[in-house]
Amino acid sequence: MLLRNSWYLIVLIVLMSSFVGCYQRTVAPALTFDQKNAETLDSEIKRMEWD
Amino acid sequence: MTGCERSEPPVFRFNSVEWVKQEKTHLAEGEHFPEEYKTEIGTIMTALFGTPDDPKFPFFLGDEDPAHDIISIENLKMAAGPTRVDKRESASGLYREHCAHCHGITGNGAGDTAASLEPYPRDFRLGKFKFKSTPLRSPPTDHDLTEILVNGIPGSAMPSFRTLPKDQIQALVEYVKYLTMRGQFERFLLGELAVLDGEPLIDLSLIDKPEGKEPSDDDIEEFEDQMYTVIGEGLQERIIDRWLRTERKVTKIDPAPPEFDINHEGHKDFVQRGRELFFAKGNCMQCHGDTGIGDGQLNNFDDWTNDWIKSAEVDPQNPESYSDFTEVGALPPRPVKPRNLTRHYYRGGDHPNDLYLRLRNGIEGTPMPASTAMTSDEIWAVVAYVRAMPYQDANKNGLSKPVNEKQVMR
């Protein structure tokens, strides 16, 4: 009985944590960027003379 | 989170709340900014600040640039990346180990546990910090951030990290500054969208010509102008320079008068003077309540919430009116509670100097104002009264009632 309840508990925790994880990963969109442009911009930033 | 797949490396989140706010502020109902701006902002942010696993700080001004004093790339690498301890026992991934579950990978105060915490974890991206030694609108010093990490914030979920070695604390302090500046810059870029009228922030096509074609001098000049406006003015002048200047802005704490000493014969009168100031000149009871239990003004919001609820004129009582924001990650608004001063815990520290600074400078991002009209002796008197509050029985000697206002005002 105790063993079976423990399993329920473990399954519940796993389900809840995956739910929380999925929720947090879907509400706010990831930053999208263009890798090639980011590299071009990076080299331009380094090339320019800033004062 | 579950399963055996190798998980994707974490990414910074786009500030969609600010995006929606800017749309609601500047565009007509139902209009939207072009989606391409999201990618463009992401590209500029990535070029300047890198990714959570490979952070960069724009030292584009050369090795001698004073920006090196704010953030060192070694410390960034120590705090960033996945959690691990290598063979030499020098830690890395400190931020993800200790901070990200509440403050989020992006420092947006929306980590996995955030929604269940009261108060919500700090969103660094506004660039505002409550407990610091500098005046309003000035960033905190390294020392201020270190104090928060070492002591935690009593009465909130922020724990103390006193057991961490000093170099790790410093790495986390610098990483928090990095996330803050990154967030401030992203907000700056989003704020520019309204005036761009569909044009790109930085038009790479000006210099990135097809094979065999060279950009004209005019194109190069135009491109460099855009770079100076966005990066030179937006990032360097508005953000990095302010962080650089902040050490010089630390508020000087005038020494407390002798009556502040609890053994001084005039201490009781000094506390009484503080009490009168609490009710009259300081007007502290308006929020903290007559008895200091924090039951005065209860329907204010802090700046992190006001930032979007005011601009979009949403009703904080009506979840439907702000669903556009909560759908993209904003946490439901909660009123900010004035401190209960009778319980002897203060979020910004319980040293008299801490309380002096809270009164002198106010608490940034909250309705607690700076006491510019009070002399330092008057502030010390209020500090003495506030420190005496937990030990007085509010129901004795009429202390629960406000003092006669006319008598105090004369």
Side-chain angles (χ1 to χ4, degrees), chain B residues 11-12 29 55-56 77 97 105 122 125 127 150 194 252 291 321 339 359 385 387:
Chain B
V11 285
F12 287 126
E29 182 78 33
K56 290 196 277 186
K77 298 233 182 261
E97 184 178 351
I105 296 280
R122 181 60 49 244
R125 299 173 303 176
V150 169
K252 186 173 157 285
T291 51
S321 75
R339 186 62 41 244
L359 281 157
Y385 174 59
R387 281 168 61 83

Side-chain angles (χ1 to χ4, degrees), chain A residues 50-51, chain B residues 60 185 188 192 225-241:
Chain A
W50 303 86
D51 50 25
Chain B
F60 44 80
F185 184 59
F188 163 77
E192 291 290 290
D225 272 355
Q226 290 174 356
M227 292 275 270
Y228 285 128
T229 309
V230 172
I231 299 170
E233 289 173 24
L235 180 60
Q236 180 72 26
E237 288 177 20
R238 285 171 186 239
I239 299 170
I240 296 180
D241 285 356

Side-chain angles (χ1 to χ4, degrees), chain B residues 73-125:
Chain B
I73 205 75
E74 293 78 25
N75 279 339
L76 273 195
K77 298 233 182 261
M78 196 176 184
T83 304
R84 65 184 166 83
V85 176
D86 70 17
K87 284 178 185 163
R88 289 167 296 149
E89 293 189 346
S90 66
S92 69
L94 293 169
Y95 182 80
R96 258 174 250 178
E97 184 178 351
H98 301 296
C99 320
H101 47 91
C102 294
H103 292 286
I105 296 280
T106 318
N108 55 2
D112 288 352
T113 60
S116 59
L117 299 179
E118 165 70 16
Y120 292 136
R122 181 60 49 244
D123 173 355
F124 303 132
R125 299 173 303 176

Side-chain angles (χ1 to χ4, degrees), chain B residues 9-223:
Chain B
V11 285
F12 287 126
R13 301 271 156 195
F14 181 69
N15 192 344
S16 303
V17 175
E18 183 67 15
W19 171 273
V20 174
K21 182 189 114 185
Q22 293 291 342
E23 281 187 340
K24 286 188 183 285
T25 312
H26 297 290
L27 303 182
E29 182 78 33
E31 280 188 34
H32 299 283
F33 289 127
E35 285 289 310
E36 293 78 44
Y37 276 138
K38 287 186 181 172
T39 311
E40 196 193 356
I41 289 173
T43 306
I44 297 174
M45 298 295 295
T46 309
L48 286 164
F49 291 93
T51 61
D53 279 352
D54 183 22
K56 290 196 277 186
F57 189 66
F59 296 131
F60 44 80
L61 303 167
D63 293 340
E64 299 299 313
D65 193 79
H68 285 284
D69 298 340
I70 318 180
I71 289 172
S72 81
I73 205 75
E74 293 78 25
N75 279 339
L76 273 195
K77 298 233 182 261
M78 196 176 184
T83 304
R84 65 184 166 83
V85 176
D86 70 17
K87 284 178 185 163
R88 289 167 296 149
E89 293 189 346
S90 66
S92 69
L94 293 169
Y95 182 80
R96 258 174 250 178
E97 184 178 351
H98 301 296
C99 320
H101 47 91
C102 294
H103 292 286
I105 296 280
T106 318
N108 55 2
D112 288 352
T113 60
S116 59
L117 299 179
E118 165 70 16
Y120 292 136
R122 181 60 49 244
D123 173 355
F124 303 132
R125 299 173 303 176
L126 240 66
K128 292 185 179 183
F129 291 82
K130 285 184 178 175
F131 310 116
K132 56 185 184 172
S133 56
T134 50
L136 297 179
R137 287 179 289 283
S138 289
T141 63
D142 275 16
H143 181 258
D144 294 332
L145 295 173
T146 306
E147 287 284 297
I148 301 279
L149 278 168
V150 169
N151 297 322
I153 301 181
S156 80
M158 176 73 187
S160 161
F161 293 97
R162 195 179 290 271
T163 52
L164 290 184
K166 274 185 182 164
D167 60 332
Q168 295 191 13
I169 296 260
Q170 182 59 27
L172 285 171
V173 164
E174 293 188 13
Y175 197 72
V176 166
K177 292 199 290 183
Y178 159 80
L179 288 177
T180 306
M181 285 184 235
R182 191 192 164 282
Q184 286 178 296
F185 184 59
E186 188 182 26
R187 283 171 58 86
F188 163 77
L189 295 180
L190 283 158
E192 291 290 290
L193 298 188
V195 294
L196 285 174
D197 201 23
E199 296 293 316
L201 282 154
I202 295 175
D203 190 358
L204 278 169
S205 67
L206 288 170
I207 49 126
D208 204 7
K209 300 282 180 196
E211 281 292 309
K213 268 195 161 185
E214 286 297 312
S216 70
D217 287 352
D218 283 352
D219 284 349
I220 292 174
E221 200 176 321
E222 170 68 22
F223 175 77

Side-chain angles (χ1 to χ4, degrees), chain A residues 14 17-18 20-21 24-25 27-34 36-38 40-42 44-45 47-50, chain B residues 1-2 11-14 16 39 42-43 46-48 56 60-61 110 112 182 204 207-208 227-228 231 327:
Chain A
V14 169
S17 56
S18 62
V20 170
Q24 288 295 339
R25 275 158 188 76
V27 279
L31 193 75
T32 50
F33 61 95
D34 183 320
K36 182 178 160 287
N37 281 353
T40 312
L41 204 53
D42 186 43
E44 287 299 320
I45 290 165
R47 187 188 60 78
M48 275 176 67
E49 285 178 15
W50 303 86
Chain B
M1 187 168 259
T2 51
V11 285
F12 287 126
R13 301 271 156 195
F14 181 69
S16 303
T39 311
T43 306
T46 309
L48 286 164
K56 290 196 277 186
F60 44 80
L61 303 167
D112 288 352
R182 191 192 164 282
L204 278 169
I207 49 126
D208 204 7
M227 292 275 270
Y228 285 128
I231 299 170
E327 275 168 17

Side-chain angles (χ1 to χ4, degrees), chain B residues 298-317:
Chain B
L298 291 170
N299 53 0
N300 280 324
F301 293 89
D302 62 21
D303 283 7
W304 290 268
T305 307
N306 274 335
D307 182 59
W308 56 273
I309 64 170
K310 281 212 168 144
S311 63
E313 292 174 2
V314 304
D315 174 12
Q317 309 292 334

